[in-house]
Structure formats: structure tokens, C-alpha cells
Amino acid sequence: MNKKQIRSIRKIVHELAGQEARVYLFGSRLIDEKKGGDVDLLIELRGSIDQPAVLAARLSARISRALDGRQVDIVLKAPNLKYLPIHEVALKEGHPL
């Protein structure tokens, strides 16, 4: 992932999820041999989310367009959402953008 793509992702996340949102890249994009795979992003929020599915869909669509149609999977982490094993994996193995 190049610097322009990272800036685009951050900008979109901050526009839709707030300036305090943190972004982590995890999954196959971290493995050199699988660079052509989808983009898995964990978006960590400090506040609660009213409509997480809507936010995840909007983030995925806008980031996918910014990455020329690449498949983007979004995992949200917020105080009012259930903490799942995928959150642990993403935080442990992911790289902050």
C-alpha cells in the first residue's frame, strides 16, 4: 500500500467516523506473497456507534472506490459493540495506518 492510498484511507475514515478514529491494516495485505488480496481494515472508535452496519458499508464503499475497486472489508471496534476474536487478531497483528 502506497502513501497516497494510506492518506486516502485516513481521510475517508476521519470524514465518516470522526477525527479520533484509528485505522489498522491487517490480514492478507500484510503478507508480501498476497499483495493482490483484499484490504482488511479495523476501525477503532472511542465513542458508541448508532448504526454500525451503515457506517461499515459506507467506509467500505468509499475506500474501495479510492483503491480502484479493490475489495475492502471493515471491522469496527467501539465501546457499544461486542468484542470478537477478530478484534484481538487485528490489534495484535495489524499495522496502524
Side-chain angles (χ1 to χ4, degrees), residues 17 20-22 42-52 55 75-84 87 91:
E20 294 184 354
R22 294 183 184 175
L42 170 71
I43 312 297
E44 185 177 34
L45 304 154
R46 289 189 172 199
S48 298
I49 308 168
D50 291 335
Q51 296 179 316
L55 177 59
V75 176
L76 297 174
K77 179 180 178 292
N80 65 321
L81 300 179
K82 185 176 180 179
Y83 191 80
L84 300 170
H87 295 110
L91 289 170

Side-chain angles (χ1 to χ4, degrees), residues 40-94:
D40 299 309
L41 298 173
L42 170 71
I43 312 297
E44 185 177 34
L45 304 154
R46 289 189 172 199
S48 298
I49 308 168
D50 291 335
Q51 296 179 316
V54 172
L55 177 59
R58 288 180 178 158
L59 286 164
S60 178
R62 287 206 36 205
I63 294 170
S64 177
R65 282 196 299 270
L67 301 178
D68 298 322
R70 186 171 301 275
Q71 173 71 38
V72 177
D73 296 324
I74 301 290
V75 176
L76 297 174
K77 179 180 178 292
N80 65 321
L81 300 179
K82 185 176 180 179
Y83 191 80
L84 300 170
I86 189 70
H87 295 110
E88 188 72 32
V89 171
L91 289 170
K92 182 178 177 182
E93 299 176 3

